[in-house]
């Protein structure tokens, strides 16, 4: 959120970062040569990075699973990695215990084919605190897990009221889900205060001129949505807007009409597209 951000350090040899996840002072970095070819062997390393006393960065450890890492999420003392198998796409989720950053330990290996958002090649994968969220391939259910010392235990599953496009965790108590039925898209605001029994507290209908949602991200009481306006004669235009979910039962439009792109992220109160 700094007005003039300062470069602290550069970690090599990450030729291209496919995904990063931060939890406190830990950052996971995947080395990759190309995002579109997850079978590349350079995509196979998860690096655990710590901030040094002088403000720089140093690698504390690294982990290379049997398979290629497609996406990572970090929470309280753990990192979860979706592992790719070329034959069946995602074939497992490995949860690493990072209580000791210098020695990552696999606490749980879930046999889960994690689904992806085909428009943006994102994984249906998110985390917050000690909760891990993901959906199986060819399934619209969002599975909610509790992670303790690297051990993941499923608490519940949320079944949206239509086809799952993507989801994002706004806060410990709020989950935002982009849903499609036929030609209609909307956002479900799910109350997860009791993670064993999530329920839809409110909905937000996608407004014109949006044809459909591409993806979304969330932070605190804000949900940013990337949409596409498909015009057969003019091609397609992407744009984004922000929904305020401070009252989950009454989500309201907070910011509208920003130029979009192929990617969207919301962090430290700043929207990136």
């Amino acid at each position: 959120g700094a007005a003039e951000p300062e470069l602290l350090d550069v970690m090599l040899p990450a030729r291209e970062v496919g995904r990063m996840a931060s939890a406190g002072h830990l950052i996971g970095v995947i080395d990759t040569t190309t995002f579109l070819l997850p079978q590349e062997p350079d995509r196979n390393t998860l690096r655990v990075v710590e901030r040094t006393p002088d403000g720089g960065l140093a690698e504390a450890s690294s982990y290379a699973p049997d398979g290629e890492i497609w996406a990572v999420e970090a929470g309280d003392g753990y990192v979860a990695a979706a592992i790719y198998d070329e034959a069946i796409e995602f074939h497992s989720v490995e949860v690493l215990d990072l209580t000791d950053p210098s020695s990552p330990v696999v606490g749980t290996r879930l046999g889960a084919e994690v689904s992806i958002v085909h428009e943006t090649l994102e994984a249906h994968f998110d985390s917050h605190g000690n909760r891990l969220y993901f959906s199986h391939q060819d399934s619209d259910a969002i599975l909610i897990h509790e992670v303790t010392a690297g051990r993941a235990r499923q608490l519940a599953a949320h079944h949206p009221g239509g086809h799952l496009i993507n989801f994002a965790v706004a806060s410990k108590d709020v989950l935002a889900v982009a849903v499609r039925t036929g030609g209609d898209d909307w956002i479900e605001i799910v109350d997860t205060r009791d993670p064993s029994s999530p329920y839809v507290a409110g909905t937000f209908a996608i407004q014109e001129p949006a044809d459909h949602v591409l993806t979304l991200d969330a932070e605190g009481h804000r949900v940013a949505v990337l949409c596409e306006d498909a015009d057969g004669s003019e091609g397609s235009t992407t744009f984004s807007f922000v929904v305020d979910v401070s009252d989950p039962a009454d989500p309201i439009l907070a910011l509208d009409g920003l130029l979009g792109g192929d990617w969207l992220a919301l962090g430290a109160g700043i929207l990136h597209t």
Side-chain angles (χ1 to χ4, degrees):
E4 297 181 2
E6 177 186 358
L7 179 64
L8 296 177
D9 204 347
V10 177
M11 292 296 297
L12 295 176
R15 284 174 287 183
E16 180 180 339
V17 176
R19 182 70 186 247
M20 293 191 299
S22 177
H25 64 287
L26 301 174
I27 302 174
V29 179
I30 302 170
D31 294 346
T32 177
T33 54
T34 169
F35 184 72
L36 297 178
L37 294 174
Q39 68 271 23
E40 290 288 340
D42 286 330
R43 199 184 174 84
N44 203 36
T45 303
L46 173 67
R47 302 190 183 278
V48 181
V49 180
E50 291 185 301
R51 188 175 304 285
T52 58
D54 62 0
L57 300 173
E59 182 176 316
S61 61
S62 63
Y63 171 72
D66 294 330
E68 288 72 47
I69 304 171
W70 178 274
V72 292
E73 284 294 336
D76 292 342
Y78 74 91
V79 166
I83 313 299
Y84 180 91
D85 182 283
E86 187 176 4
I88 60 172
E89 294 191 349
F90 300 100
H91 70 91
S92 67
V93 174
E94 294 187 356
V95 183
L96 305 181
D97 182 1
L98 291 181
T99 305
D100 178 2
S102 65
S103 181
V105 177
V106 177
T108 301
R109 181 174 286 109
L110 304 170
E113 298 176 26
V114 178
S115 61
I116 63 172
V117 184
H118 292 285
E119 292 93 338
T120 56
L121 294 178
E122 291 182 74
H124 286 148
F125 207 44
D126 208 346
S127 66
H128 189 284
N130 68 337
R131 295 184 194 168
L132 175 63
Y133 305 74
F134 64 89
S135 67
H136 285 294
Q137 188 175 352
D138 302 322
S139 170
D140 287 319
I142 300 170
L143 308 183
I144 304 175
H145 288 70
E146 179 182 69
V147 181
T148 304
R151 300 283 180 177
R153 176 175 66 93
Q154 184 174 330
L155 299 177
H158 172 66
H159 298 268
H163 173 63
L164 171 66
I165 301 171
N166 203 358
F167 65 88
V169 181
S171 66
K172 183 179 180 181
D173 299 327
V174 176
L175 174 69
V177 186
V179 182
R180 179 176 301 155
T181 297
D184 297 325
D185 290 10
W186 72 94
I187 308 296
E188 289 183 352
I189 310 302
V190 182
D191 189 316
T192 58
R193 281 176 294 182
D194 179 359
S196 65
S197 183
Y199 68 94
V200 178
T203 61
F204 182 86
I206 303 303
Q207 314 279 324
E208 292 289 346
D211 287 320
H212 64 269
V213 175
L214 295 177
T215 189
L216 76 168
D217 200 6
E219 179 189 56
H221 62 272
R222 300 181 180 93
V223 177
V225 186
L226 182 65
C227 289
E228 182 178 48
D229 173 21
D231 187 315
S233 59
E234 300 293 334
S236 62
T237 302
T238 57
F239 59 93
S240 56
F241 58 87
V242 178
V243 180
D244 188 318
V245 295
S246 51
D247 179 0
D250 185 27
I252 59 175
L253 184 65
L255 189 61
D256 191 17
L258 298 176
L259 184 64
D262 298 322
W263 172 85
L264 172 144
L266 182 64
I270 298 175
L271 175 64
H272 309 264
T273 64

